Amino acid sequence: MPWIAGAALVALPFVYRDPYHLHILILILIWSFAYTSWAVMGRFGLVSLGHGGFMGVGAYVTVLLWNHFGLTPWLGIPAALLCSGALAMVVAYPCFRFRITGHYFALVTLALSGIVLQVITATRDHTGGSLGYTPERTKGNHILALQFDDKVVWYLIALGVWVGGLLIWRWIDRSMSRYAMEAISEDEDAAAAAGVNVTAEKLRITVISALMTALAGALYGQYQMFISPDTVSGIGISLQMVFAAVVGGIYVAFGPTVGAIITILLAEALRIGFGTKAVGWDNLVYGVLLVVFIIFLPKGILGSLLASIKTPSKRQNG
């Protein structure tokens, strides 16, 4: 069954080539990967509000290296990932080393997101500031510049990255790190007494999450050919990631994908229905729905659906 679904997804753009719908699918796949990167941390109780910062680093470093130094994104993206990983270590290591957890850790990451946003805005001569920034364009499809006019190419790239995110989720889910992180989330002292290196395990999962988020930011910038603080950085993006992961199902591999479908379709519905009057409304809706889901549906849509399916089967077996 998974192979049939995979084949259908690969064949889709060759059968149905409507540009607008392919555009929506590409956005859903890229943002699904970004939301999965947040859920990799969030599922273990590491609530980060700074992932907008990592995404911004991934997008802006890639574009700045291309525009100012002519460095191909094939090298710029790894450089952006290194910057994001280093930033994650600089921020996360002191927190984990000195047991800064819970809402204090969330506040630290919130500050990180704000700092990245301010740096992007303040260096407007290089980044375009709040007006946004555009990579230097090439004509047609240009592999070296990672720029393609054909949406089928971008769909296949986004699909591959999305599958990669699911594989990373599966690898973590089946590794010893999962059990170590679950033990840490329950009781750090007990986990440390059992031989778990608490700081190293938390730092590893944080860096993996930051690298994935930076990659999502870089690909989003290359696809959209325009980035701004509002679209790839800041607290708004961080809140969007939290909302999508929680609403879709933070403990289910496909939960962030469900969240991406909801966020992208919501944003498109507001844009088409209200135009510029709806600017910022999506963040308001995210905040309200996030509170509602945390209170009434903490497992998210997909998580609750799977739980309801398993419960009757257990009763029948019993």
Side-chain angles (χ1 to χ4, degrees):
M1 186 63 180
W3 294 107
I4 297 175
L9 287 173
V10 172
L12 177 62
F14 300 100
V15 178
Y16 186 76
R17 300 178 67 92
D18 181 80
Y20 175 71
H21 291 140
L22 281 180
H23 168 68
I24 296 299
L25 287 174
I26 292 168
L27 290 181
I28 288 174
L29 290 171
I30 292 176
W31 282 106
S32 294
F33 180 74
Y35 300 154
T36 299
S37 70
W38 187 90
V40 164
M41 279 182 66
R43 66 182 297 200
F44 298 117
L46 295 175
V47 178
S48 168
L49 297 179
H51 272 52
F54 298 135
M55 192 168 186
V57 169
Y60 274 92
V61 170
T62 302
V63 175
L64 288 170
L65 289 176
W66 169 251
N67 282 6
H68 293 285
F69 301 100
L71 188 66
T72 170
W74 293 101
L75 297 177
I77 290 176
L81 297 187
L82 286 175
C83 292
S84 182
L87 183 62
M89 292 190 68
V90 167
V91 173
Y93 179 77
C95 291
F96 300 150
R97 181 68 178 79
F98 297 106
R99 298 289 186 90
I100 299 175
T101 58
H103 53 279
Y104 293 108
F105 177 72
L107 289 174
V108 171
T109 57
L110 176 64
L112 166 66
S113 187
I115 290 171
V116 172
L117 179 64
Q118 290 301 317
V119 169
I120 293 172
T121 305
T123 56
R124 61 179 63 88
D125 292 339
H126 302 287
T127 64
S130 58
L131 297 177
Y133 198 57
T134 302
E136 292 184 3
R137 293 179 177 271
T138 58
K139 294 182 180 180
N141 295 328
H142 199 292
I143 296 178
L144 191 64
L146 197 60
Q147 296 178 19
F148 307 100
D149 291 337
D150 190 354
K151 291 192 180 297
V152 174
V153 176
W154 270 113
Y155 172 85
L156 295 176
I157 292 173
L159 181 63
V161 171
W162 174 70
V163 171
L166 294 178
L167 291 176
I168 292 173
W169 176 286
R170 183 182 180 186
W171 167 66
I172 293 173
D173 197 55
R174 298 188 175 188
S175 69
M176 291 302 297
S177 291
R178 172 196 169 185
Y179 300 103
M181 287 302 301
E182 287 178 345
I184 291 170
S185 63
E186 290 292 332
D187 191 327
E188 284 195 18
D189 293 326
V196 176
N197 189 329
V198 174
T199 300
E201 291 293 341
K202 293 170 74 173
L203 193 60
R204 180 183 297 112
I205 213 74
T206 301
V207 171
I208 291 173
S209 180
L211 294 177
M212 292 173 65
T213 308
L215 177 58
L219 291 177
Y220 179 83
Q222 290 299 124
Y223 171 65
Q224 292 285 63
M225 292 301 292
F226 176 79
I227 53 177
S228 70
D230 292 332
T231 57
V232 295
S233 189
I235 183 58
I237 298 299
S238 298
L239 177 62
Q240 181 179 326
M241 291 187 185
V242 177
F243 166 79
V246 171
V247 169
I250 194 173
Y251 302 106
V252 186
F254 288 97
T257 301
V258 173
I261 294 172
I262 293 172
T263 57
I264 297 301
L265 294 183
L266 173 62
E268 282 298 297
L270 290 174
R271 184 184 66 83
I272 295 173
F274 300 95
T276 56
K277 296 180 181 178
V279 174
W281 285 15
D282 49 353
N283 288 331
L284 174 63
V285 175
Y286 296 154
V288 173
L289 290 181
L290 181 61
V291 174
V292 172
F293 271 82
I294 289 175
I295 296 174
F296 298 104
L297 211 65
K299 292 183 179 180
I301 294 173
L302 192 57
S304 298
L305 181 61
L306 292 176
S308 64
I309 293 173
K310 290 179 180 179
T311 302
S313 62
K314 288 182 179 179
R315 290 176 179 174
Q316 291 176 2
N317 293 334

